[in-house]
Amino acid sequence: MNGRPRPAVGPMAMASVAAVVVAAVGFALAGEPRFAVLALLSLLVTAGLLLEVDLPWGGKVPLGHALLIALAVVATPAEAAAVGLVGIALAVPFGKRVRELLPVLLAAAAADGVIGLARMAVPETMAADIEAVVEVACAGAAYLAVDLVLERRDARRVWPLYVTLLCAAALLAVAYQRSPALSIIAAVPLLVTRYSFERFTSAREAYAQTTQALSLLPEVAGLTPLGHGERTAVYAAALAEELGLEPARVSRLATAARLHHIGYISLHEPEAREAPLDLAELGKLSGDLLRETGFLADVGELVEQAQSGREVQGIDAAVIRVCSTLDDIAGALGDVAAADPFAEALRRHDAGLERTAAIALLRLHDRRPSIVEDARAASRTLAQVAAGGGAHDGTGHEEHGHDHGEAGDCR
């Protein structure tokens, strides 16, 4: 659906699956149904590791995490270790790299270790279903903590998916204790989770592409430098994270930064370009245009504040204003290594919340010296497509397509 490569299914993969199936049949015929079930469970673990949830901000999380957490609860430590090892190993012939599976192996080992401690602490009088839920919570916390650290995930973003996986693992464990066949039905919500996140990710991608296309309107008309919106969005998102803002707020701020110059499309007439800029009018026009779209109404007010030219009332608008200034300065300086656009941005924004944002921008540069090049790289593809080979690429741009002094920096 989203164009990701499918796992390779070669002779080795087919032979591995066939071997496990033959082993399961052999166990069943030999009167060892428990071992037959465990062999089939290893195939389910493999399938779960191959079925991944695409995260909207990038990266993937296998659905197999929920299966391995549930396995630590319903099986003995030896059985959980054996099934986990076989299931993880079977993923290699299907195209999974060993370094991708190592965090999974360590997380499963952590879950198996914690479950023993949890069982020692759980009272014997506790109901079986409640006991299973408590054990899933303990094993899942250990498992997902390892995944969080080794995969370097953002806990503020990934926690909804982690909660979903824990709930799915609890459902699987309770269902398996009632009947192994019932656990197959309990696995259905996992597939729904994957489908839901896939739809959500696709919607986020469409949203991002739409805002990028809108940000190009004043740029392809020559009213603002090509790539200015995208570069400002890169700066703004990084600066918002530096300030410790929550992910949803960072996303909204980046969208507003990408579109903060949309009001410049009102300057398409020659007489409008020659007249002095009315920043308050441009800000109001930008906000009105975004509010009229419906789906961008929530960023309209923020854009209007940032573009108004008046003193900002919130740190979000200050971030956009300072980052827009930074891009103007960096573009004017070009590739002069000795120049310091960050110090110049602080000089221009030396009071109030704008000063707070400008100081944080200096800290960001100290921590991430490549931020200017990162922003230019992010806008280069968009600029080349929009330019059609004839316009500048945004690495050394003029002041918003017309000479109005420093008005282009949203002040």
Side-chain angles (χ1 to χ4, degrees):
M1 181 177 296
N2 55 9
R4 64 166 168 260
R6 294 181 178 180
V9 182
M12 181 64 71
M14 297 302 296
S16 301
V17 172
V20 175
V21 171
V22 169
V25 173
F27 283 131
L29 294 177
E32 298 289 347
R34 175 71 174 175
F35 290 156
V37 170
L38 293 176
L40 295 177
L41 281 176
S42 66
L43 290 180
L44 287 178
V45 169
T46 302
L49 294 176
L50 297 177
L51 289 174
E52 298 173 313
V53 173
D54 288 318
L55 301 177
W57 50 88
K60 301 174 184 292
V61 174
L63 294 178
H65 287 350
L67 297 174
L68 287 168
I69 293 170
L71 182 65
V73 174
V74 302
T76 65
E79 291 174 341
V83 172
L85 283 172
V86 173
I88 293 171
L90 283 176
V92 175
F94 283 90
K96 280 286 189 179
R97 290 175 293 185
V98 174
R99 67 180 182 182
E100 291 178 309
L101 296 172
L102 183 59
V104 178
L105 183 62
L106 294 176
D112 291 341
V114 168
I115 200 67
L117 298 175
R119 284 172 178 162
M120 293 174 59
V122 172
E124 295 182 359
T125 57
M126 183 176 290
D129 290 349
I130 298 178
E131 180 181 353
V133 172
V134 171
E135 291 177 355
V136 165
C138 295
Y143 187 106
L144 296 176
V146 173
D147 178 75
L148 184 71
V149 173
L150 295 183
E151 296 293 347
R152 298 179 180 179
R153 305 191 192 278
D154 187 343
R156 296 179 300 174
R157 288 181 168 179
V158 81
W159 73 264
L161 179 58
Y162 277 3
V163 171
T164 302
L165 291 175
L166 279 176
C167 292
L171 183 61
L172 286 169
V174 172
Y176 186 87
Q177 289 182 342
R178 299 294 180 88
S179 169
L182 188 60
S183 63
I184 298 176
I185 300 175
V188 173
L190 274 178
L191 300 178
V192 175
T193 297
R194 180 174 183 266
Y195 174 76
S196 299
F197 269 84
E198 197 169 66
R199 291 290 300 273
F200 180 60
T201 301
S202 298
R204 285 287 297 267
E205 290 175 351
Y207 179 84
Q209 291 167 0
T210 301
T211 57
Q212 286 175 336
L214 288 174
S215 73
L216 287 174
L217 290 178
E219 297 175 4
V220 297
L223 303 170
T224 57
L226 277 172
H228 173 65
E230 191 63 26
R231 290 190 298 275
T232 303
V234 172
Y235 295 136
L239 182 53
E241 292 176 351
E242 176 71 21
L243 290 168
L245 304 185
E246 59 271 18
R249 195 171 167 188
V250 172
S251 178
R252 176 175 177 263
L253 201 154
T255 299
R258 186 174 286 119
L259 297 169
H260 76 281
H261 59 332
I262 192 69
Y264 277 82
I265 60 175
S266 66
L267 305 177
H268 62 282
E269 297 294 341
E271 57 271 18
R273 299 193 193 193
E274 295 171 0
L277 280 178
D278 185 344
L279 292 179
E281 183 62 28
L282 278 174
K284 185 176 185 306
L285 178 61
S286 297
D288 289 342
L289 286 172
L290 295 174
R291 282 187 284 266
E292 287 176 4
T293 66
F295 74 100
L296 290 171
D298 65 323
V299 301
E301 182 179 354
L302 181 53
V303 168
E304 184 172 344
Q305 291 180 24
Q307 192 72 10
S308 67
R310 298 186 297 269
E311 182 179 355
V312 296
Q313 301 301 314
I315 191 64
D316 293 27
V319 166
I320 296 173
R321 188 174 291 184
V322 170
C323 290
S324 180
T325 298
L326 174 65
D327 187 59
D328 289 327
I329 297 170
L333 294 175
D335 296 322
V336 180
D340 188 355
F342 296 86
E344 177 62 17
L346 178 58
R347 186 189 69 80
R348 295 192 190 183
H349 301 277
D350 58 355
L353 290 173
E354 293 178 40
R355 176 177 172 81
T356 301
I359 292 174
L361 195 59
L362 287 174
R363 294 199 306 268
L364 173 64
H365 180 243
D366 291 339
R367 186 175 58 82
R368 186 176 166 185
S370 64
I371 183 65
V372 172
E373 288 306 317
D374 293 344
R376 288 176 175 175
S379 70
R380 194 164 290 129
T381 301
L382 285 176
Q384 290 173 348
V385 171
H392 48 81
D393 64 2
T395 59
H397 53 263
E398 70 274 8
E399 193 75 28
H400 289 281
H402 47 278
D403 184 13
H404 287 294
E406 293 183 354
D409 63 8
C410 295
R411 293 193 299 158

